[in-house]
Amino acid sequence: MVNLLAMPESTSTQIAGRIETERPQLEEVKPTIDVRDLTFAYGNHEVLHEVSLQIPARAVTAFIGPSGCGKTTLLRCFNRMNDLVDAARIVRGSIMIEGRDINDPAVAVVDLLRAIGMVLQKSNPFPKSMYDTITDRLPTTGA
């Protein structure tokens, strides 16, 4: 059971002799990860629909939702692990990491895998490391 407490109304108080100064404006924060209108499908079945989000550097971001709602699929898009799944594809939209479209053919997938790690929910034993398994199936240099 969740109990909600009413928060008291905040009121401004004047302190004698205190001079109010303007707070400095925050600089515009550029996102490290910028997802724009991403639609993703397995075959003809679209599983992500027009997802847009921006994640700034050094931010803690949580994806919370029921099983099967697309959290892991979106995370796997960030380091192109979905490239290993037959018929999996981005239908439209883009994923920019540090200003670069990660699905650009010139992006070296191996370098992306080094930069964007992923801790899987369940342990998956592989005959080789995850890195070796992925790099055996993906091109190692950009086009």
Side-chain angles (χ1 to χ4, degrees):
M1 180 174 184
V2 176
N3 293 324
L4 300 176
L5 301 174
M7 296 300 291
E9 292 285 326
S10 61
T11 58
S12 60
T13 57
Q14 295 292 333
I15 299 175
R18 183 173 176 189
I19 299 172
E20 294 291 324
T21 59
E22 288 187 29
R23 295 182 183 187
Q25 294 293 323
L26 295 176
E27 294 179 24
E28 183 178 327
V29 177
K30 293 183 181 178
T32 296
I33 299 175
D34 187 5
V35 180
R36 294 186 185 176
D37 300 320
L38 182 74
T39 298
F40 185 85
Y42 293 108
N44 292 326
H45 182 64
E46 290 185 356
V47 294
L48 299 177
H49 306 275
E50 298 179 12
V51 175
S52 293
L53 68 107
Q54 295 181 332
I55 302 173
R58 297 182 201 88
V60 175
T61 304
F63 296 125
I64 300 170
S67 177
C69 72
K71 303 177 300 287
T72 301
T73 298
L74 179 60
L75 289 172
R76 290 171 55 98
C77 288
F78 293 165
N79 63 2
R80 293 185 52 180
M81 286 182 67
N82 286 324
D83 289 6
L84 301 173
V85 179
D86 292 331
R89 62 189 167 65
I90 292 177
V91 176
R92 63 186 153 274
S94 65
I95 300 172
M96 308 289 280
I97 296 181
E98 294 181 345
R100 182 135 193 223
D101 185 348
I102 64 166
N103 291 297
D104 183 332
V107 169
V109 177
V110 171
D111 293 339
L112 182 65
L113 289 168
R114 286 185 187 124
I116 308 295
M118 183 175 202
V119 177
L120 302 171
Q121 182 177 2
K122 296 178 184 176
S123 61
N124 293 307
F126 289 102
K128 301 188 266 184
S129 73
M130 174 66 101
Y131 176 79
D132 291 335
T133 303
I134 291 170
T135 55
D136 285 348
R137 294 186 62 189
L138 296 175
T140 58
T141 59

